[in-house]
Amino acid sequence: MPIPLFQHDHPRVVDAVLASGKACKQAGDLIGVNAFADQMAQKYLAEGPKFVNVGAEVSILTRNTETLAAK
């Protein structure tokens, strides 16, 4: 079953991010992840990436578009 858009904290998404990070780390690659909330950023930081980006312009654009559409 596909994961609906914008469910960045869905367990399958989180598991995939963590598994990818682990594989990159084992290969000696530097890793970074994008988190959309502080709680997710903290969870990802605990796994040792070199950077964690919190938020993205696409989520800001989507949120504002939804707000405008609701008016």
Side-chain angles (χ1 to χ4, degrees):
M1 178 176 187
I3 299 168
L5 293 175
F6 306 113
Q7 287 194 13
H8 310 287
D9 58 349
H10 189 284
R12 286 176 44 205
V13 173
V14 174
D15 289 347
V17 170
L18 294 175
S20 297
K22 183 177 179 182
C24 289
K25 195 173 181 181
Q26 288 175 343
D29 294 329
L30 298 177
I31 58 172
V33 297
N34 191 26
F36 290 88
D38 183 56
Q39 180 181 9
M40 294 310 302
Q42 295 302 320
K43 182 176 188 123
Y44 292 149
L45 277 171
E47 296 298 316
K50 293 297 180 186
F51 71 88
V52 175
N53 181 42
V54 181
E57 69 279 354
V58 70
S59 62
I60 295 167
L61 177 63
T62 301
R63 209 169 315 132
N64 290 332
T65 302
E66 289 171 344
T67 300
L68 286 172
K71 290 183 179 184

